Amino acid sequence: EIVMTQSPATLSVSPGERATLSCRASQSVSSNLAWYQQKPGQAPRLLIYGASTRATGIPARFSGSGSGTEFTLTISSLQSEDFAVYYCQQYNNWPSCSFGQGTKLEIK
Amino acid sequence: QLQLQESGPGLVKPSETLSLTCTVSGGSISSSSYYWGWIRQPPGKGLEWIGSIYYSGSTYYNPSLKSRVTISVDTSKNQFSLKLSSVTAADTAVYYCARHHHVPLMDVWGKGTTVTVSS
Protein backbone atom coordinates (compact mmCIF):
# COMPACT_ATOMS: atom_id res chain seq x y z
CA GLU A 1 0.00 0.00 0.00
CA ILE A 2 1.26 3.47 -0.91
CA VAL A 3 0.81 5.93 1.97
CA MET A 4 0.36 9.60 1.13
CA THR A 5 1.36 12.15 3.78
CA GLN A 6 0.35 15.79 3.49
CA SER A 7 1.85 18.73 5.33
CA PRO A 8 1.06 20.86 7.09
CA ALA A 9 -2.27 19.68 8.47
CA THR A 10 -3.43 23.29 8.64
CA LEU A 11 -2.01 26.28 6.78
CA SER A 12 -2.97 29.86 7.65
CA VAL A 13 -2.42 32.37 4.83
CA SER A 14 -3.72 35.84 4.11
CA PRO A 15 -5.76 36.57 0.97
CA GLY A 16 -3.53 37.67 -1.90
CA GLU A 17 -0.55 35.73 -0.60
CA ARG A 18 0.94 32.50 -1.91
CA ALA A 19 0.15 29.11 -0.41
CA THR A 20 2.37 26.06 -0.75
CA LEU A 21 1.03 22.63 0.19
CA SER A 22 3.12 19.47 0.29
CA CYS A 23 2.42 15.82 -0.36
CA ARG A 24 4.85 12.95 0.09
CA ALA A 25 4.46 9.36 -1.10
CA SER A 26 5.88 6.37 0.77
CA GLN A 27 7.30 5.12 -2.53
CA SER A 28 7.66 6.55 -5.99
CA VAL A 29 4.41 7.27 -7.81
CA SER A 30 6.13 8.79 -10.85
CA SER A 31 3.90 11.68 -11.96
CA ASN A 32 0.66 9.84 -11.19
CA LEU A 33 -0.49 12.37 -8.62
CA ALA A 34 -3.68 14.42 -8.45
CA TRP A 35 -4.91 17.23 -6.23
CA TYR A 36 -8.51 17.84 -5.17
CA GLN A 37 -10.18 20.77 -3.42
CA GLN A 38 -13.06 20.23 -1.01
CA LYS A 39 -15.23 22.93 0.51
CA PRO A 40 -17.48 22.30 3.52
CA GLY A 41 -20.55 20.27 2.65
CA GLN A 42 -19.41 19.73 -0.93
CA ALA A 43 -17.89 16.91 -2.91
CA PRO A 44 -14.22 17.19 -3.85
CA ARG A 45 -13.24 18.87 -7.12
CA LEU A 46 -10.38 17.71 -9.31
CA LEU A 47 -7.75 20.46 -9.64
CA ILE A 48 -4.55 18.90 -10.94
CA TYR A 49 -3.58 15.57 -12.47
CA GLY A 50 -0.34 14.16 -13.80
CA ALA A 51 1.29 16.16 -10.98
CA SER A 52 1.14 19.42 -12.96
CA THR A 53 -1.74 19.50 -15.46
CA ARG A 54 -4.71 21.65 -14.52
CA ALA A 55 -8.12 20.07 -14.93
CA THR A 56 -10.72 21.74 -17.12
CA GLY A 57 -11.78 25.13 -15.82
CA ILE A 58 -9.19 25.39 -13.06
CA PRO A 59 -7.66 28.89 -12.78
CA ALA A 60 -4.01 29.42 -13.64
CA ARG A 61 -3.21 30.50 -10.07
CA PHE A 62 -3.25 26.78 -9.19
CA SER A 63 -0.08 24.93 -10.12
CA GLY A 64 1.38 21.56 -9.27
CA SER A 65 4.91 20.27 -9.35
CA GLY A 66 7.02 17.31 -8.35
CA SER A 67 7.60 13.69 -9.27
CA GLY A 68 8.60 10.50 -7.57
CA THR A 69 7.80 10.97 -3.89
CA GLU A 70 7.65 14.75 -3.36
CA PHE A 71 4.87 16.97 -4.69
CA THR A 72 3.70 20.54 -4.21
CA LEU A 73 0.48 22.41 -4.88
CA THR A 74 0.95 26.16 -5.12
CA ILE A 75 -1.80 28.74 -5.16
CA SER A 76 -0.15 31.93 -6.33
CA SER A 77 -2.52 34.61 -5.00
CA LEU A 78 -5.17 33.36 -2.66
CA GLN A 79 -8.76 34.31 -3.35
CA SER A 80 -11.52 34.00 -0.75
CA GLU A 81 -12.96 30.99 -2.56
CA ASP A 82 -9.68 29.07 -2.28
CA PHE A 83 -9.94 28.49 1.46
CA ALA A 84 -10.80 24.83 1.68
CA VAL A 85 -9.31 21.39 2.33
CA TYR A 86 -6.90 20.01 -0.27
CA TYR A 87 -6.19 16.34 -0.85
CA CYS A 88 -3.50 14.66 -2.88
CA GLN A 89 -4.15 11.29 -4.50
CA GLN A 90 -1.77 8.81 -6.06
CA TYR A 91 -2.93 6.49 -8.81
CA ASN A 92 0.39 4.95 -9.80
CA ASN A 93 -0.66 1.49 -8.62
CA TRP A 94 -4.05 1.47 -10.33
CA PRO A 95 -6.26 -0.55 -9.96
CA SER A 96 -5.73 0.82 -6.53
CA CYS A 97 -5.27 4.37 -5.38
CA SER A 98 -4.89 6.28 -2.13
CA PHE A 99 -5.44 9.77 -0.78
CA GLY A 100 -3.53 11.89 1.69
CA GLN A 101 -5.19 12.99 4.91
CA GLY A 102 -5.69 16.53 3.68
CA THR A 103 -4.41 20.05 4.34
CA LYS A 104 -6.87 22.64 5.58
CA LEU A 105 -6.12 26.06 4.10
CA GLU A 106 -7.56 28.73 6.35
CA ILE A 107 -7.67 32.49 6.35
CA LYS A 108 -5.00 34.17 8.45
CA GLN B 1 -24.55 17.96 -18.17
CA LEU B 2 -23.64 14.73 -16.43
CA GLN B 3 -25.04 14.34 -12.93
CA LEU B 4 -24.67 11.61 -10.34
CA GLN B 5 -27.05 11.04 -7.44
CA GLU B 6 -26.55 8.66 -4.53
CA SER B 7 -29.52 7.05 -2.82
CA GLY B 8 -30.10 4.53 -0.07
CA PRO B 9 -30.77 4.16 3.65
CA GLY B 10 -29.17 6.71 5.92
CA LEU B 11 -29.08 4.34 8.88
CA VAL B 12 -27.78 0.78 8.92
CA LYS B 13 -27.49 -1.55 11.90
CA PRO B 14 -24.15 -3.08 12.88
CA SER B 15 -23.39 -6.41 11.17
CA GLU B 16 -25.89 -5.68 8.40
CA THR B 17 -25.23 -4.79 4.77
CA LEU B 18 -25.03 -1.21 3.54
CA SER B 19 -26.60 -0.78 0.10
CA LEU B 20 -26.37 2.36 -2.04
CA THR B 21 -27.22 3.17 -5.62
CA CYS B 22 -25.82 5.88 -7.87
CA THR B 23 -28.05 7.08 -10.69
CA VAL B 24 -26.32 8.67 -13.67
CA SER B 25 -28.20 11.29 -15.69
CA GLY B 26 -27.23 13.44 -18.64
CA GLY B 27 -24.96 10.75 -20.04
CA SER B 28 -24.58 7.02 -20.53
CA ILE B 29 -23.00 4.72 -18.00
CA SER B 30 -22.08 2.50 -20.95
CA SER B 31 -19.50 4.93 -22.28
CA SER B 32 -16.24 3.12 -23.00
CA SER B 33 -14.29 6.13 -21.79
CA TYR B 34 -15.19 6.01 -18.13
CA TYR B 35 -15.30 4.01 -14.96
CA TRP B 36 -17.67 4.53 -12.07
CA GLY B 37 -16.47 4.60 -8.50
CA TRP B 38 -17.40 4.82 -4.86
CA ILE B 39 -15.45 6.92 -2.37
CA ARG B 40 -16.23 7.52 1.28
CA GLN B 41 -15.31 10.08 3.93
CA PRO B 42 -15.75 9.39 7.65
CA PRO B 43 -16.79 12.40 9.72
CA GLY B 44 -13.94 14.91 9.96
CA LYS B 45 -11.56 12.62 8.08
CA GLY B 46 -10.07 12.15 4.64
CA LEU B 47 -11.15 10.34 1.50
CA GLU B 48 -11.02 6.60 0.95
CA TRP B 49 -11.52 4.93 -2.43
CA ILE B 50 -13.81 1.93 -2.04
CA GLY B 51 -13.91 0.54 -5.54
CA SER B 52 -14.83 1.07 -9.18
CA ILE B 53 -16.68 -0.64 -11.99
CA TYR B 54 -16.62 -0.52 -15.78
CA TYR B 55 -19.86 -0.77 -17.74
CA SER B 56 -18.88 -4.27 -18.82
CA GLY B 57 -18.98 -5.36 -15.18
CA SER B 58 -15.24 -5.45 -14.47
CA THR B 59 -14.64 -4.43 -10.89
CA TYR B 60 -11.71 -3.09 -8.89
CA TYR B 61 -11.73 -2.92 -5.10
CA ASN B 62 -9.66 -1.36 -2.34
CA PRO B 63 -7.70 -4.31 -0.90
CA SER B 64 -8.56 -3.23 2.64
CA LEU B 65 -12.30 -3.54 1.92
CA LYS B 66 -12.32 -6.18 -0.78
CA SER B 67 -13.70 -8.99 1.38
CA ARG B 68 -16.81 -6.95 2.22
CA VAL B 69 -17.49 -4.96 -0.96
CA THR B 70 -19.54 -5.71 -4.03
CA ILE B 71 -20.08 -3.16 -6.80
CA SER B 72 -22.48 -3.89 -9.63
CA VAL B 73 -23.84 -2.04 -12.67
CA ASP B 74 -27.27 -1.95 -14.30
CA THR B 75 -26.83 -0.38 -17.72
CA SER B 76 -30.57 -0.56 -18.47
CA LYS B 77 -31.23 1.78 -15.55
CA ASN B 78 -28.01 3.81 -15.93
CA GLN B 79 -27.14 2.95 -12.35
CA PHE B 80 -24.37 1.33 -10.37
CA SER B 81 -24.56 0.07 -6.83
CA LEU B 82 -22.48 -0.55 -3.73
CA LYS B 83 -22.95 -3.26 -1.13
CA LEU B 84 -20.78 -3.30 1.99
CA SER B 85 -21.36 -6.22 4.31
CA SER B 86 -20.83 -6.70 8.03
CA VAL B 87 -20.75 -2.99 8.75
CA THR B 88 -19.50 -1.48 12.00
CA ALA B 89 -19.45 2.05 13.36
CA ALA B 90 -16.18 2.56 11.48
CA ASP B 91 -18.19 2.44 8.23
CA THR B 92 -20.12 5.56 9.20
CA ALA B 93 -19.27 8.10 6.50
CA VAL B 94 -20.43 10.26 3.65
CA TYR B 95 -20.48 8.01 0.59
CA TYR B 96 -19.82 9.55 -2.81
CA CYS B 97 -20.18 8.12 -6.26
CA ALA B 98 -18.00 9.52 -9.01
CA ARG B 99 -17.00 9.13 -12.63
CA HIS B 100 -13.41 8.60 -13.54
CA HIS B 101 -11.24 7.90 -16.53
CA HIS B 102 -9.15 4.78 -17.14
CA VAL B 103 -7.10 5.97 -14.20
CA PRO B 104 -8.98 7.11 -11.09
CA LEU B 105 -9.17 10.84 -11.76
CA MET B 106 -12.64 11.59 -10.40
CA ASP B 107 -13.95 14.48 -12.48
CA VAL B 108 -17.69 14.28 -11.78
CA TRP B 109 -19.04 13.57 -8.30
CA GLY B 110 -22.40 13.07 -6.69
CA LYS B 111 -23.33 15.29 -3.76
CA GLY B 112 -22.76 12.44 -1.32
CA THR B 113 -25.04 10.64 1.09
CA THR B 114 -24.49 10.18 4.80
CA VAL B 115 -24.69 6.66 6.16
CA THR B 116 -24.65 6.08 9.89
CA VAL B 117 -24.07 2.64 11.37
CA SER B 118 -25.88 2.39 14.67
CA SER B 119 -28.32 0.14 16.45
Side-chain angles (χ1 to χ4, degrees), chain B residues 36-73:
Chain B
W36 307 91
W38 288 97
I39 303 95
R40 70 180 182 178
Q41 185 171 36
K45 296 188 178 181
L47 302 165
E48 180 179 35
W49 172 72
I50 299 169
S52 298
I53 191 165
Y54 194 53
Y55 77 96
S56 63
S58 297
T59 51
Y60 309 89
Y61 298 135
N62 186 323
S64 68
L65 297 169
K66 187 175 183 178
S67 64
R68 298 195 292 131
V69 173
T70 302
I71 297 176
S72 59
V73 63

Side-chain angles (χ1 to χ4, degrees), chain B:
Chain B
Q1 180 182 358
L2 189 77
Q3 293 187 315
L4 283 67
Q5 178 67 59
E6 305 89 351
S7 59
L11 181 64
V12 181
K13 290 182 168 56
S15 80
E16 296 189 344
T17 296
L18 177 160
S19 296
L20 296 175
T21 295
C22 181
T23 300
V24 178
S25 59
S28 174
I29 202 170
S30 299
S31 168
S32 60
S33 299
Y34 300 107
Y35 289 65
W36 307 91
W38 288 97
I39 303 95
R40 70 180 182 178
Q41 185 171 36
K45 296 188 178 181
L47 302 165
E48 180 179 35
W49 172 72
I50 299 169
S52 298
I53 191 165
Y54 194 53
Y55 77 96
S56 63
S58 297
T59 51
Y60 309 89
Y61 298 135
N62 186 323
S64 68
L65 297 169
K66 187 175 183 178
S67 64
R68 298 195 292 131
V69 173
T70 302
I71 297 176
S72 59
V73 63
D74 187 335
T75 55
S76 67
K77 295 182 178 179
N78 231 28
Q79 295 176 334
F80 62 108
S81 298
L82 168 70
K83 291 188 185 298
L84 181 65
S85 63
S86 305
V87 297
T88 69
D91 296 310
T92 293
V94 175
Y95 285 76
Y96 295 99
C97 60
R99 180 187 82 172
H100 67 82
H101 301 255
H102 288 259
V103 287
L105 300 173
M106 287 80 170
D107 63 347
V108 181
W109 294 68
K111 294 184 186 301
T113 188
T114 299
V115 179
T116 301
V117 178
S118 175
S119 56

